[in-house]
Amino acid sequence: MIRLVAGLLVAVVTLALPAVLDDSALAVYILLGLAAIVTVGVSLLMGYAGQVSLGQGAFYAIGAYTAALLALNGVPPLVGLVAAPLVAAVSALVIGTPLLRLRGHHLAFATLAMQLILLSLAGQLEITGGDIGLQAIPQFGVGSYEMGSAPAYAYMTWAGLALVMLVTHNVITSRPGRALRALATSETAAASSGIPVGRYKLVVFALSAAFAGLAGGIYCFYTGYVAPGSFPVLISIQYIVMAVVGGLGTIWGAVVGAAAITLLVQGLNSLAALPGMPTYAPSVLSYAVYALVLILVVLFLPNGLLPAVAGRLSRKRGSPPVETR
């Protein structure tokens, strides 16, 4: 009952906010939703499959460039939006086949290198617009309807997040989801139990990439512009911080973490824009705060914000811990 009431309350607030927020706050709200979409995939990949990826920003970029290139070449935007997660997933299958033979920090560094290579290629290829990027991307639309307002993109973003959360919930509550949890605990034990470890790792890697590709597709239509600078390496680190802060292996934890870090970053950007602050202040503050937040969470909230709050509320009521998935 509590979960139902909380879910309805979140849905009402989510639908009401685009109508009352001003333009700057609405932009943050949309970017928060896009970050949450990617972070849910990161939480699934790291929290359930135990695979560390520092390259989710690459799949975010693949989705954005896919949708942008198709739209600029006359393909209906809806087709481009559908193609964005599909191309990102296929790319993950191709890239993941050799990379997922690695483990731990080796896999993390390999996925980071993948994003660096992708950004380098995007900055040099003529088809992607080089360092200048792709501009004047058409607005998203279906048939004669064209989505030209920020509130419409907000609803679109959060509808995409709801879809991603539903898919993730269905995955983790299914038999393959239980196999993923076993895989995260011990790949050797999972393999000895008959679980096809390599195939499961590849599939969940592709699924998390598809989520990032969907977010990238929405992003390109919202901003009307994509370039290598839109997808810095820091963005992949940011997604991991969001997942860890909110609670790895939880769906709502990914949303909570995305909200906390996005609002924190906006506050730091406002601080860095104050008179007298050096030009490098935004990047320095971001890296410093990410490190500080990670240290504090690992020391005092090792399971993340949402599991910690849920556990404390359960102890106060004297009931079993609340399920936070």
Side-chain angles (χ1 to χ4, degrees):
M1 184 63 181
I2 295 177
R3 292 177 63 188
L4 177 61
V5 172
L8 290 175
L9 180 62
V10 170
V12 170
V13 173
T14 300
L15 293 173
L17 281 176
V20 299
L21 294 176
D22 58 29
D23 290 343
S24 60
L26 196 53
V28 175
Y29 187 61
I30 293 171
L31 294 177
L32 190 160
L34 294 176
I37 292 175
V38 184
T39 307
V40 169
V42 173
S43 185
L44 176 65
L45 181 65
M46 293 180 61
Y48 283 94
Q51 307 303 306
V52 182
S53 172
L54 289 176
Q56 290 304 104
F59 300 117
Y60 188 44
I62 288 173
Y65 273 105
T66 297
L69 286 169
L70 291 175
L72 288 171
N73 284 280
V75 176
L78 180 60
V79 176
L81 185 61
V82 172
L86 293 178
V87 173
V90 171
S91 301
L93 289 174
V94 174
I95 295 169
T97 299
L99 288 192
L100 291 177
R101 297 177 183 274
L102 303 173
R103 297 182 183 180
H105 64 277
H106 295 98
L107 176 60
F109 289 141
T111 53
L112 177 62
M114 171 195 70
Q115 181 171 350
L116 292 173
I117 293 170
L118 177 70
L119 293 177
S120 178
L121 289 174
Q124 296 180 29
L125 295 177
E126 183 178 349
I127 190 174
T128 57
D131 288 329
I132 297 176
L134 302 174
Q135 305 179 40
I137 300 170
Q139 295 283 342
F140 181 81
V142 179
S144 59
Y145 171 75
E146 186 175 278
M147 190 179 292
S149 65
Y153 280 104
Y155 289 125
M156 179 181 177
T157 298
W158 285 82
L161 176 58
L163 174 62
V164 164
M165 294 174 71
L166 178 61
V167 170
T168 304
H169 175 76
N170 289 335
V171 168
I172 63 179
T173 55
S174 65
R175 184 175 180 180
R178 293 190 292 274
L180 285 177
R181 287 193 288 273
L183 188 155
T185 303
S186 172
E187 291 187 15
T188 303
S192 65
S193 301
I195 297 174
V197 172
R199 187 170 65 193
Y200 272 51
K201 287 166 59 176
L202 190 59
V203 169
V204 75
F205 188 63
L207 182 60
S208 67
F211 293 165
L214 174 62
I218 297 173
Y219 173 83
C220 90
F221 289 118
Y222 170 60
T223 60
Y225 168 78
V226 292
S230 305
F231 314 99
V233 172
L234 181 61
I235 199 170
S236 292
I237 299 173
Q238 180 176 299
Y239 295 140
I240 291 182
V241 174
M242 290 175 176
V244 172
V245 168
L248 278 176
T250 63
I251 299 175
W252 283 103
V255 180
V256 170
I261 297 301
T262 299
L263 295 177
L264 178 61
V265 169
Q266 292 302 315
L268 291 175
N269 288 340
S270 299
L271 177 63
L274 293 175
M277 296 294 286
T279 56
Y280 54 80
S283 59
V284 171
L285 285 175
S286 295
Y287 280 111
V289 169
Y290 287 158
L292 180 61
V293 167
L294 272 179
I295 292 171
L296 292 176
V297 168
V298 170
L299 287 177
F300 301 106
L301 300 171
N303 293 324
L305 286 175
L306 186 61
V309 172
R312 178 164 296 184
L313 292 176
S314 297
R315 287 193 296 272
K316 284 185 177 180
R317 294 197 306 267
S319 59
V322 178
E323 177 61 63
T324 56
R325 282 202 300 263

